[in-house]
């Protein structure tokens, strides 16, 4: 199939199509991770985005049913440099081409992703369209790209979040064994997870630490959450503009009045900042990758982290009651904070990320440790 990627500024990239034929629109971003393309595709936080992967060979290991972070592919389209003809992995169940085709997602290969990435780094994120088919018209794609409303002001939570309450008990296991259910009576803690698009590995890592997770829809009231008698509450990741989530901010403010451990992760971090009176901002091209250095300002230690966000909290607008705990060494943006005198903290990156390093995964340990005492939580990683 033929394929074309057209940016809203009129830039045209022609390549070879794969996956599903059709037209897809979204904000185009680039991700620098070298592994974990299936986790990236199925991360609900990518809703409304066209993902370009800077690593040149994508599809080498195929796909499988265990590595998905969500119930489906959530990004609008995928752009890569090279698509291998045949995957090579003992875990592969389906090649990337058929995986995208089965889920209705178009893909584009054989373009200069370095040139595309440079354009986005220099000019900033912009809207785009991918058109795949036997015959493609760049003008049709350009019109679609320019008609896309963009992510600023977009509330996409309803498209990715749970509609019903559920319980999660699966924990990690050896790849040959798949994921395993918790042993009977192994869960000694109970965590309520506000689902704005929660990734499955967040829930697995909590289960690994002895937590039974109750996953609740975004509109669940604080009263309903408290009735579940949780040891802690986690506000999870998700897509779109955090400034539009007024209900989530109200829920956060109500729960802040309780003596509960609260952990805001990615979008949850932004919801916490907004609930405390700070402002959010749209980043030039966001943070998307698995090699982002973040410094813990209290210890000086540098963490190599996975990131996926196009919005951030402006640290200069935080109230004096908030301590900044982590900053990005790429651009100095806010990466972590805690509310003084409480067991409330947040982290912007993805400490659970499948495609990235595990430097920050001990933040989950700090969250669980806060359940058993009333001292201030210290989310050292």
């Amino acid at each position: 199939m033929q394929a074309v990627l057209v940016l809203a500024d009129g830039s045209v990239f022609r390549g070879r199509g794969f996956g599903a034929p059709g037209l897809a629109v979204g904000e185009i971003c680039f991700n620098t991770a070298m592994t974990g393309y299936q986790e990236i595709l199925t991360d609900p936080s990518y809703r409304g985005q066209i993902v370009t992967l800077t690593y040149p060979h994508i599809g080498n290991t195929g796909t499988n049913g265990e590595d998905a972070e969500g119930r489906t592919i959530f990004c609008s389209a995928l752009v890569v440099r090279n698509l291998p003809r045949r995957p090579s992995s003992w875990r592969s169940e389906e090649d990337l081409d058929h995986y995208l085709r089965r889920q209705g997602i178009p893909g584009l290969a054989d373009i200069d992703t370095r040139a595309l990435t440079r354009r986005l780094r220099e000019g900033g994120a912009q809207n785009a369209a991918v058109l795949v088919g036997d015959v493609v018209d760049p003008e049709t794609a350009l019109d679609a790209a320019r008609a896309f409303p963009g992510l600023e002001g977009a509330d996409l939570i309803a498209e990715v979040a749970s509609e019903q309450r559920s319980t999660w008990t699966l924990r990690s296991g050896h790849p040959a064994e798949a994921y395993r259910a918790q042993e009977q009576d192994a869960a000694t803690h109970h965590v309520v997870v506000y689902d704005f698009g929660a990734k499955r590995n967040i829930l697995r890592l909590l289960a690994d630490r002895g937590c039974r997770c109750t996953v609740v829809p975004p509109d669940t009231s604080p009263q309903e959450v408290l009735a579940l008698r949780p040891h802690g509450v986690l506000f999870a990741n998700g897509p779109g503009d955090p400034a539009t989530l007024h209900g989530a901010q109200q829920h956060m403010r109500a729960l802040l009045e309780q003596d509960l451990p609260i952990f805001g992760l990615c979008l949850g971090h932004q919801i916490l900042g907004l609930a405390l009176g700070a402002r959010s901002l749209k980043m030039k091209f966001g943070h998307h990758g698995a090699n982002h250095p973040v410094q813990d300002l209290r210890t000086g230690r540098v963490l190599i982290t996975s990131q996926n966000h196009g919005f951030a909290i402006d640290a200069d607008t935080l109230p004096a009651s908030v301590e900044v705990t982590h900053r990005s060494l790429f651009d100095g943006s806010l990466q972590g904070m805690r509310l003084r005198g409480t067991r409330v903290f947040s982290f912007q990156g993805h400490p659970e990320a499948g495609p990235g390093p595990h430097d920050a995964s001990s933040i989950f340990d700090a969250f669980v440790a806060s359940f058993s005492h009333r001292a201030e939580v210290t989310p050292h990683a």
Side-chain angles (χ1 to χ4, degrees):
M1 293 183 292
Q2 297 184 34
V4 64
L5 165 68
V6 181
L7 309 188
D9 66 5
S11 302
V12 177
F13 297 82
R14 290 184 177 271
R16 175 169 59 93
F18 67 100
L23 175 68
V25 296
E27 180 180 282
I28 189 164
C29 67
F30 61 89
N31 187 301
T32 57
M34 297 175 66
T35 62
Y37 55 83
Q38 187 179 354
E39 289 91 339
I40 292 167
L41 289 170
T42 55
D43 179 353
S45 298
Y46 277 112
R47 192 67 168 181
Q49 297 181 78
I50 297 171
V51 177
T52 299
L53 297 175
T54 61
Y55 186 71
H57 303 286
I58 300 298
N60 304 52
T61 55
T63 66
N64 62 75
E66 294 178 354
D67 288 351
E69 288 285 8
R71 64 181 182 273
T72 187
I73 295 175
F74 285 99
C75 68
S76 301
L78 176 65
V79 178
V80 302
R81 176 65 182 93
N82 296 316
L83 179 72
R85 291 183 179 272
R86 181 179 299 173
S88 177
S89 171
W90 63 271
R91 299 182 68 232
S92 178
E93 298 170 355
E94 186 177 23
D95 65 43
L96 182 59
D97 181 17
H98 287 86
Y99 186 68
L100 265 66
R101 187 180 308 170
R102 179 168 54 82
Q103 301 191 52
I105 304 298
L108 181 149
D110 294 348
I111 73 161
D112 187 346
T113 51
R114 293 174 300 177
L116 173 59
T117 299
R118 285 196 298 269
R119 182 174 294 276
L120 298 176
R121 283 180 58 89
E122 294 168 3
Q126 59 177 297
N127 299 336
V130 170
L131 182 59
V132 174
D134 294 331
V135 179
V136 296
D137 177 18
E139 289 300 321
T140 299
L142 178 60
D143 291 343
R146 290 178 173 172
F148 181 67
L151 295 185
E152 197 161 7
D155 180 354
L156 304 176
I157 301 305
E159 301 179 18
V160 303
S162 302
E163 296 180 358
Q164 303 292 331
R165 183 185 304 178
S166 62
T167 300
W168 180 278
T169 58
L170 288 180
R171 62 186 181 89
S172 305
H174 189 277
E177 301 171 340
Y179 299 113
R180 297 174 286 179
Q182 288 174 323
E183 291 84 356
Q184 189 173 9
D185 300 326
T188 56
H189 306 295
H190 180 209
V191 176
V192 169
V193 178
Y194 267 102
D195 180 16
F196 304 103
K199 295 167 65 178
R200 290 173 176 172
N201 212 41
I202 294 172
L203 307 177
R204 288 191 202 103
L205 293 186
L206 288 172
D208 291 347
R209 289 159 173 79
C211 297
R212 172 175 58 87
C213 296
T214 299
V215 182
V216 300
D219 59 356
T220 304
S221 71
Q223 292 75 24
E224 293 175 271
V225 169
L226 294 174
L228 295 171
R229 301 182 62 82
H231 292 89
V233 179
L234 187 147
F235 281 69
N237 62 290
D241 187 343
T244 66
L245 305 180
H246 304 293
Q249 295 169 41
Q250 292 175 0
H251 295 342
M252 176 69 83
R253 293 189 191 99
L255 289 170
L256 289 176
E257 298 177 359
Q258 310 296 319
D259 182 22
L260 266 177
I262 298 176
F263 178 19
L265 194 158
C266 198
L267 181 67
H269 158 87
Q270 298 164 8
I271 291 171
L272 174 62
L274 291 168
L276 293 171
R279 292 195 301 268
S280 61
L281 51 86
K282 184 76 166 64
M283 304 177 76
K284 182 178 180 180
F285 48 78
H287 289 170
H288 310 279
N291 55 353
H292 288 238
V294 170
Q295 186 171 37
D296 186 328
L297 301 179
R298 296 154 303 170
T299 66
R301 183 184 178 192
V302 176
L303 316 173
I304 302 302
T305 70
S306 289
Q307 302 276 329
N308 175 24
H309 61 108
F311 293 84
I313 291 296
D314 183 354
D316 293 336
T317 65
L318 289 169
S321 58
V322 175
E323 176 190 1
V324 173
T325 59
H326 296 80
R327 281 194 182 275
S328 167
L329 293 185
F330 275 160
D331 57 14
S333 60
L334 178 67
Q335 283 285 322
M337 59 185 171
R338 71 177 181 92
L339 184 59
R340 303 178 194 273
T342 72
R343 295 179 288 172
V344 175
F345 71 98
S346 63
F347 190 73
Q348 175 64 82
H350 281 277
E352 83 298 330
H358 304 289
D359 290 24
S361 61
S362 60
I363 290 178
F364 288 100
D365 297 326
F367 179 48
V368 174
S370 70
F371 301 163
S372 58
H373 59 81
R374 294 180 179 274
E376 291 184 6
V377 65
T378 305
H380 290 299

